[in-house]
Amino acid sequence: MVFNSVVFLFCFLPLALLVYYLVPGKGKNAVLLLESLIFYCWTGITWLPLIAVLIAVNYLAGLFLGRRKGGGRKLVLVLAVVVSAAALIFFKYTNFLIDTLNQIAGLGLSSLSFLSVLPLGISYYIFKLISYVSDVYTRKTEPEKNLIDFSAYVLFFPQLIVGPIVRYRDMAQTLHTGKGRCTLQKAEDGAIQFVFGLAKKVILADSIGMLWQDIIAPDGGVGLANASTPLAWLGILAYSLQLYFDFAGYSEMSNGLSRMMGFECPANFNLPYMATSITDFWRRWHISLSMWFRDYVYIPLGGNRCSKGRQILNMLVVWALTGFWHGANWNFLCWGLYYFVLLVIEKYLLRGVLQKGRGWQRVYTLFFVVLGWGIFTANAAGAPLGLLMSRLFLPQGGVSPLYFLRNYGVLLLLGCLFSTSLPGWLWEKTRRILPLRLLLFAGVMLLSIAFVVASTGSTALYADF
């Protein structure tokens, strides 16, 4: 993560909130922009010109597209989208393309060393920019005339590293609200959401993730080649829980911090491991990304308003792009195509069967989702896809899972419980018991801070994507 987590929690964040609260009216947007710039430039200003140019291009395009009359609107939209998409493709995929050409044709091309580290948050803010100009073009939102307000939206630091991808039209009203933007109720609700998200990340995700690392780590681990089939399944289950709590926890932290600053942002997760189909899973997992691809790729391609063959082609394009969006590696493309196949089968063959099911759909969904995470993580050191699949599906002996169950059993049980609606239901039951509510909140907060201090090197998994 761009900040040392201790510095962020104890220095930057409290000071940023204090200054933001003290500044009156719409001056908050200028403060928000300044704080976001500090956050963005914390490790250097190398890529600041890039995001400045992209903001300027899309700001000017929005002003032009907001005109009620006049030609050239479609051309301006295409140019703005192409500029933004080209920046993402160049910085994220150039070295991948060079490596691929070298492997296929033996060209011996050198990779570009300055692209070894991605510009911070580029996968997220590019999608925000594309959604903005698209919405202005289709008249779903008015163009932002104030450059400071528009820049504050693009650089909004709670969402900068790992999203969610919040559209301008969902933040516009608050950006234009001066008086009454921040309230005590929003601060309270946001703080609760932030702390519980932090707990998911540092207590559950990081701790459960150690089990997977103990299995695959090249140095000091068991080694996947030595793991028995039950241990391999236990490991990939642990990785599935780690990925969920890591990303969902960060999303809750982002939305909680946004709410503390007066912005109501849509939820990015809705108990995805309780889904009853693969289709349902993608309505619950990384909701902002799923909706972005639906609204800005799938529907413009024709969506469901075309022949069956064209619908399948549209789905293929969406899921290939979804896979590659996650990273410049073939395993991500395979992961996207894996879901394309599952969703086509569900859409045209299994819809009626799934609707009539009684409970087994959740088992079916979890099995294929967990298997999908095996494909997703196939580029990780120590977990090649072929070896992982053989360990999962060809019963083999090796290191027993019993030792790991003794060490991680309680954490795995907590992970499974916190993947359900039970914790939220129990928390709501404390609403009328204020002392208990305060005690639980304080306990979770102090425990989370202790974990943060003890593991300052922890990063968000999805920051890599």
Side-chain angles (χ1 to χ4, degrees), residues 318-460:
V318 165
W319 285 100
L321 291 175
T322 300
F324 259 140
W325 177 88
H326 282 82
N329 200 294
W330 289 113
N331 70 292
F332 293 121
L333 176 62
C334 292
W335 176 76
L337 296 179
Y338 168 83
Y339 274 109
F340 159 72
V341 172
L342 291 177
L343 289 166
V344 167
I345 292 173
E346 278 196 0
K347 185 177 180 70
Y348 295 107
L349 297 177
L350 296 182
R351 179 180 294 177
V353 177
L354 290 169
Q355 289 175 346
K356 296 177 183 178
R358 294 186 178 180
W360 63 265
Q361 312 101 305
R362 286 195 170 92
V363 177
Y364 145 83
T365 303
L366 273 176
F367 173 79
F368 283 106
V369 167
V370 170
L371 183 59
W373 293 135
I375 302 172
F376 188 83
T377 191
N379 68 329
L385 183 59
L387 177 59
L388 178 60
M389 291 298 118
S390 69
R391 286 286 151 179
L392 292 176
F393 292 107
L394 298 176
Q396 300 173 59
V399 178
S400 168
L402 294 179
Y403 169 80
F404 296 92
L405 281 172
R406 285 197 299 268
N407 285 353
Y408 292 96
V410 174
L411 276 171
L412 290 171
L413 179 60
L414 286 174
C416 292
L417 287 175
F418 277 84
S419 299
T420 71
S421 58
L422 179 62
W425 179 80
L426 290 174
W427 176 252
E428 284 302 311
K429 289 295 182 182
T430 67
R431 186 171 292 276
R432 297 182 180 179
I433 313 174
L434 186 58
L436 177 59
R437 196 175 181 87
L438 290 173
L439 183 63
L440 286 172
F441 175 76
V444 171
M445 180 175 66
L446 291 174
L447 188 60
S448 299
I449 290 173
F451 271 78
V452 169
V453 173
S455 57
T456 57
S458 174
T459 60

